[in-house]
Amino acid sequence: MLPRFALAALLLLAVCTLHAKPRAREFGVPFDGTPGPHNAITDVAGIEVGHVTLISGNGKLEVGRGPVRTGATAILPRGQDINAAPVFAGTFSLNGNGEMTGTAWIEESGFLEGPILLTNTHSVGVVRDAVIAWKTKKLGAALPNIFWSLPVVAETWDGWLNDINGFHVKPEHVFTALESARGGAVPEGGVGGGTGMISYEFKGGIGTASRRLPVDLGGYTLGVLVQANHGVRNQLTIAGVPVGREIGGGRRRFAGADPHNLAGLSVGDTGSILIIVATDAPLLPHQLKRLARRASLGLARTGAVSGNGSGDLFLAFSTANASGAARENSPGEGVQEFRASTFQALTNEGMSPLFESTVEAVEEAIVNALIAGEAMTGRDDHAVEALPSARVQEILKKFNRLTPSAATPKQN
Amino acid sequence: MLPRFALAALLLLAVCTLHAKPRAREFGVPFDGTPGPHNAITDVAGIEVGHVTLISGNGKLEVGRGPVRTGATAILPRGQDINAAPVFAGTFSLNGNGEMTGTAWIEESGFLEGPILLTNTHSVGVVRDAVIAWKTKKLGAALPNIFWSLPVVAETWDGWLNDINGFHVKPEHVFTALESARGGAVPEGGVGGGTGMISYEFKGGIGTASRRLPVDLGGYTLGVLVQANHGVRNQLTIAGVPVGREIGGGRRRFAGADPHNLAGLSVGDTGSILIIVATDAPLLPHQLKRLARRASLGLARTGAVSGNGSGDLFLAFSTANASGAARENSPGEGVQEFRASTFQALTNEGMSPLFESTVEAVEEAIVNALIAGEAMTGRDDHAVEALPSARVQEILKKFNRLTPSAATPKQN
Amino acid sequence: MLPRFALAALLLLAVCTLHAKPRAREFGVPFDGTPGPHNAITDVAGIEVGHVTLISGNGKLEVGRGPVRTGATAILPRGQDINAAPVFAGTFSLNGNGEMTGTAWIEESGFLEGPILLTNTHSVGVVRDAVIAWKTKKLGAALPNIFWSLPVVAETWDGWLNDINGFHVKPEHVFTALESARGGAVPEGGVGGGTGMISYEFKGGIGTASRRLPVDLGGYTLGVLVQANHGVRNQLTIAGVPVGREIGGGRRRFAGADPHNLAGLSVGDTGSILIIVATDAPLLPHQLKRLARRASLGLARTGAVSGNGSGDLFLAFSTANASGAARENSPGEGVQEFRASTFQALTNEGMSPLFESTVEAVEEAIVNALIAGEAMTGRDDHAVEALPSARVQEILKKFNRLTPSAATPKQN
Amino acid sequence: MLPRFALAALLLLAVCTLHAKPRAREFGVPFDGTPGPHNAITDVAGIEVGHVTLISGNGKLEVGRGPVRTGATAILPRGQDINAAPVFAGTFSLNGNGEMTGTAWIEESGFLEGPILLTNTHSVGVVRDAVIAWKTKKLGAALPNIFWSLPVVAETWDGWLNDINGFHVKPEHVFTALESARGGAVPEGGVGGGTGMISYEFKGGIGTASRRLPVDLGGYTLGVLVQANHGVRNQLTIAGVPVGREIGGGRRRFAGADPHNLAGLSVGDTGSILIIVATDAPLLPHQLKRLARRASLGLARTGAVSGNGSGDLFLAFSTANASGAARENSPGEGVQEFRASTFQALTNEGMSPLFESTVEAVEEAIVNALIAGEAMTGRDDHAVEALPSARVQEILKKFNRLTPSAATPKQN
């Protein structure tokens, strides 16, 4: 058996391998707070993330044929165990030009009962039904006589790069995302549901980050995963620095915006961002709604104003209270219990540090998505450039905000 | 020591003394479910109710002089103990033409921290600040250096009978309501906040009822208190029977309604109803919002459609989880705790019987308010008649709905 | 060309043919208010309804093979015109154990932009994506370069009769429901999305009704369509009469409920009801939320308490403001307009009669669904009986509530 | 008659007189967007603001005697005309540890019907009832027979400096604030409701700012007024620069926070901020809720995370649609109208520039409140320092963010 430090070294190696280029904080963006070991949503114990990435074809759009630049990302709050207890959850819609299925039951019951899937706008349906099929498959003979499921599937729009009306996500892709889900480092950028996404007119997609609280504030871990497809270039702010304006340029996806392409105006801000917040702090459903609302503040730090066309839907859940107690609350089985269960819940006062962690981790996850993004050409040769990280370093330096220990990023 | 049945007999005597006339179920209205010993919100252990009733003057309105037909009702979830833990709570607005202060913090924190006060529309302010004054007085030397309070005060409009713009409720009246609060039987009809209220064009006001669940469904108690000031006569339905139409007549309070006084139309339904639901079942804040929403269904059984002018605001709370644990969550003291507490919570499936109890108890509490109401003349000689209970018996009989064991009601 | 009266006569004949048996009011249930010509949601001009009904197989459940007892119902607010303006809309969740996609955008924008589809719980996804496919097909060459859609699809659970995990609804079925949508009389009972639905332990499904206001109250039409799959027998109340208890018997779908099958308790009330309210009254989005909330009160009149397992999701929309003005607000096209449009809106005071109409029409639509329901045997030979309408007449008579002019219903 | 430029010069003079020291943008804080002439909420035509400031006593707290450091601020959407039409409005609670009365009716009706008052936490009641008294006084003989009012009053907590449990705000003070309300420049800092407020551990209080959109984006004006009493020093961010950390020091109001006074942690963030957003853009109630929600993003730019103890309540209203049409929707008069009115409403797409303006103006209004704040000593010699504006200039310069044309601020 390997000694502990060797394992840690191997882990670090694996992370570095996975993340081909340094992440935002590694090359000098000054973020507040202390991240967990992977600086990822998976730092919250038990959470697994899986991606399926679909890239094929080039050139002119032929609906149903491609080009394909899409995928799906699965977040499993308690991993692969189909019999695990549901998790308490809460949601918030900052701007509802988007879809997140399953929220009526989260609001009603306080429970999220299964995985969260992120995909493109026009594949929400197939992904939703596929989650049900996956559940029935996993349950097999244990499938209750009375069974229903209300899966949580959310989306952003990748139709600038992807043949979105071709419906290229199939049930088997969803199964792949679910079954390949793992703990540990999370691939970022143009992968999974984030494959064809664009943020601040740079390549966006999946980003993640985490925070760990000091022991005297509870010692909890909080992780965030975003699917970033929002913002116009002029808005992009990193660590308070107007990076987007300094870089300039960019190309609006939305034709109608062109005549009004005025500096700083949110006109044309028609993208969207999904934000998932997870924690092992024991929070009740109404407390998780509070956490979800804070995602707005982290998003604001990157310059977004959440324009009319934005589907900015957030969900927060807690992996605490995993004991069988919560199980009884699960619907879909016809079991009816009339007794009380015991739950742990953090004091409301104890939530403030988690609010701060949420704001910080959302900010960092978004920047991570941008840093991880690589240039992509898709449908009709629409091209999206990557955020040039060396240029970002220069700009941070100009505004006296570059972390001294910054690594030299590879050139995009 | 007296034998148990003797105590029960004494109790019954006390109740009968308090309630000068039989209550709705005693004279034959068929209600579902099993009430607690007082068929009142106070059947939920620890809850205390106090009224202050202000009646003076007659004849023509002179603003500031009267006539006065108003008051306040205090509901203390954990009685007089100022140091008692807050209770979990949730609210619902069926139609928000009304005021209930303090709801932003209930929604945010899940906690109700202090009494609930019911009064008239234009005295909400004075009652609110008086609750703070009462708290500081009770705390005395124990008043924390950092202290704030966001009292819950709700209202309906008694200006048809009362000099509402004369602001006759004073802080000392509020103290009286709070300090006289008791468990046991609750005076109903034209008392406390209900003094000048009118319902279905009959004298309305305070009504209460309770339900006790069978042991195999949890054995919980649920109580309801209403301040009924809503509805037009044509709508009044008791036990499914169109009692209002059978009686006919009535006088709309709202002049604009007269030209359209068509049978069955809700035009002119400009009153309001406040409904407070309490239970000892251990429910979390999001579960209490569910309970509060069910009050709508009990209200509907009495014929209401919740017209545009109605302030139909509902609040549900649970007296469970009374241990010190919840104390830490209380604001206003500058104490900050970053640890988890333990709570009990009923399974969601276990809530259905409580939903049913809520619907039943709300229905009965409203009818109790009407039955308890006595004819009143107020401002400008405006007169409101009482619901004629003998007539109600006849009508129930006509529709084959009179309980066989019905007592003969005194004539109103 | 036929004279007008002849057309009317033919229409009447068609309606009578469509409705093989009399509807609730025809055989003597006393409802309040005045319905439109078809007593259906289609009385609101421009609304079209289409059903696809899937019935095949018998006997033991083989997942993927059947038996099949399901379908889909499409409601088109402005008929088949794909370029029609969106309609203002608002939603309400009385109990969110269900799914209605597309609500985040309705809440945000106030607009419903396309059809509403009702189906079974596990087919929401396929139906949702099929609506997008249908839109792209209809738009054809006019499909904008930038296009997205967030369809509204809702569900109730038909797994007691139907092989719900077999996913039998296919995109082409959705197209059929959409393309066959028509104005005029609406088939009720076990058709479309209602095919396998059960209500109050009788055969349920689709029901509809309408109200027309007197001219001096605005002369507006309001229509309701329900997909009724809720309630336990003991609760069923028709015109205030405890019809369910009088009939007795019944069979709970949910095994867990059996031990607690106590009279009147909502235990086991695990079904759901979808309620769509439509009107030609010019209402703004926040006013339509008010209307949607009133559906609860109509539901309550039939005895429901909206148990934990119920997905009671309501949507209200207004067909007014159909001019091009509203068109500018539609998303999904990248068109950005920065100008004001003109809208009509009813005064808030003017809404009370619409509230009353909603309550009345919801009550009648539910009873219509029950009356239209016919006995069905499905999966694993699960059998559901129809509400025996002759027996209902007897019971109404016993409670002195039968309309004198009642027709003799055919025996179920 | 004076020529126009002379009037403008006089106006400028008046503004400079009113604002004893330069405002934030004048001494070099780089804000985005173009403000209106007063850079104040009063740039929205018709809006009037009045303050009453109560300062008396020094030294040790004697409840009821002082020291007094409090007041009230009145915002009149349509000025002094008591018969003016109500304005459409919408609210948002980012963190509900606070009170804003009257919101149930805003949510229900979409209307704000009268002034908005801002005061301290324990004076909400007296201010609320005083607004009713003021209305009845103003209406005089025109007071309708049937009249009720549900005033909007909000608060933050000034108990660190003020004898808040002494209830020093009296009805006559409220009348003064209302009657002294004027258009034009708005006094900022420790005035009116902001008198005893503290923000980011500096003197806070009232701040205001405005934005004017280019004509091709509608040419609308949007104004913001805040009562800032929130944040801990480490969080304070101005124009993206970590000003609070650079300055350091500070004193937490809340004792419990001390042991955890860790850099950057939101522990102890127990203040609150009220944000009022006004515009002349024609927006419907659901659109104004969207605007109110954006205030969160402007707040986030100043570093806040909205801690558990924060009462962060926002309200947005539109002065458009002032014609008599809206009048009919007003409650409290018993008038019932069943007809439609005509309203203007901006397209949803057209809102994005207003979202951006809201974010910008909220950010600037908060910084304005801090810049205007002057050192204050209150109860028990609690002392609060002013934000040192010269130091802020240095810091902005250090981070290359000082506007070149910055004026030299007076030293605090």
Side-chain angles (χ1 to χ4, degrees), chain A residues 223-295:
Chain A
V224 164
L225 186 144
V226 304
Q227 180 167 304
N229 190 43
H230 69 291
V232 291
R233 186 164 295 188
N234 282 324
Q235 296 169 336
L236 179 60
T237 304
I238 295 182
V241 172
V243 169
R245 290 188 197 176
E246 291 288 318
I247 297 178
R251 179 180 179 183
R252 301 284 167 98
R253 280 179 271 182
F254 304 100
D258 289 10
H260 304 291
N261 198 341
L262 306 172
L265 281 169
S266 65
V267 175
D269 179 11
T270 317
S272 300
I273 183 166
L274 301 170
I275 305 180
I276 310 298
V277 183
T279 184
D280 55 9
L283 299 179
L284 298 178
H286 71 287
Q287 295 178 311
L288 288 155
K289 290 172 74 171
R290 305 179 76 185
L291 218 57
R293 226 178 295 140
R294 263 53 182 198

Side-chain angles (χ1 to χ4, degrees), chain C residues 21-352:
Chain C
K21 47 181 184 178
R23 299 172 77 196
R25 69 167 51 220
E26 292 169 276
F27 77 83
V29 181
F31 293 111
D32 299 328
T34 307
H38 294 99
N39 196 11
I41 195 171
T42 46
D43 288 332
V44 180
I47 295 180
E48 295 183 1
V49 175
H51 296 303
V52 63
T53 304
L54 306 175
I55 297 178
S56 69
N58 280 296
K60 201 169 151 38
L61 172 73
E62 284 183 85
V63 176
R65 297 199 151 200
V68 179
R69 304 283 185 276
T70 196
T73 293
I75 303 166
L76 286 72
R78 299 204 194 278
Q80 300 286 340
D81 179 9
I82 194 76
N83 292 312
V87 292
F88 277 138
T91 66
F92 179 64
S93 168
L94 175 62
N95 196 65
N97 201 326
E99 179 67 77
M100 182 183 283
T101 67
T103 55
W105 182 234
I106 291 174
E107 172 70 19
E108 189 71 38
S109 69
F111 281 119
L112 164 68
E113 319 194 37
I116 300 158
L117 272 288
L118 313 181
T119 188
N120 78 61
T121 309
H122 290 184
S123 295
V124 165
V126 64
V127 173
R128 178 197 182 271
D129 292 356
V131 172
I132 299 174
W134 172 77
K135 279 188 173 181
T136 63
K137 212 170 56 172
K138 292 262 290 186
L139 285 164
L143 183 71
N145 203 26
I146 304 296
F147 169 80
W148 71 88
S149 176
L150 301 165
V152 174
V153 184
E155 54 68 47
T156 59
W157 187 84
D158 58 16
W160 185 253
L161 294 172
N162 178 46
D163 172 23
I164 191 169
N165 297 320
F167 302 106
H168 294 281
V169 180
K170 304 295 177 192
E172 54 268 27
H173 299 136
V174 180
F175 303 154
T176 301
L178 286 161
E179 283 156 19
S180 67
R182 297 284 178 276
V186 175
E188 294 179 308
V191 294
T195 302
M197 303 303 162
I198 300 168
S199 183
Y200 295 109
E201 301 174 51
F202 296 107
K203 187 68 191 70
I206 302 295
T208 190
S210 72
R211 289 295 180 274
R212 192 155 281 181
L213 288 181
V215 171
D216 67 345
L217 296 177
Y220 303 114
T221 298
L222 181 143
V224 164
L225 186 144
V226 304
Q227 180 167 305
N229 190 42
H230 69 291
V232 292
R233 185 163 296 189
N234 282 323
Q235 296 169 335
L236 179 59
T237 304
I238 295 181
V241 172
V243 168
R245 291 189 196 172
E246 291 288 318
I247 296 178
R251 180 180 179 183
R252 300 283 167 99
R253 279 179 273 181
F254 305 100
D258 288 10
H260 304 290
N261 198 340
L262 306 171
L265 281 169
S266 64
V267 175
D269 179 11
T270 316
S272 300
I273 182 166
L274 301 170
I275 305 181
I276 311 300
V277 183
T279 184
D280 56 9
L283 299 179
L284 298 178
H286 72 287
Q287 295 178 311
L288 288 155
K289 290 172 74 170
R290 305 179 76 185
L291 218 57
R293 225 178 295 139
R294 263 50 182 200
S296 314
L297 308 180
L299 174 60
R301 288 192 180 181
T302 65
V305 304
S306 194
N308 173 65
S310 223
D312 300 344
L313 304 175
F314 314 147
L315 184 154
F317 66 86
S318 161
T319 58
N321 291 306
S323 80
R327 193 80 209 107
E328 316 307 333
N329 281 278
S330 176
E333 294 179 30
V335 180
Q336 297 190 320
E337 297 282 346
F338 305 93
R339 58 181 183 74
S341 299
T342 298
F343 296 100
Q344 296 290 310
L346 189 60
T347 57
N348 279 322
E349 282 295 340
M351 294 195 70
S352 291

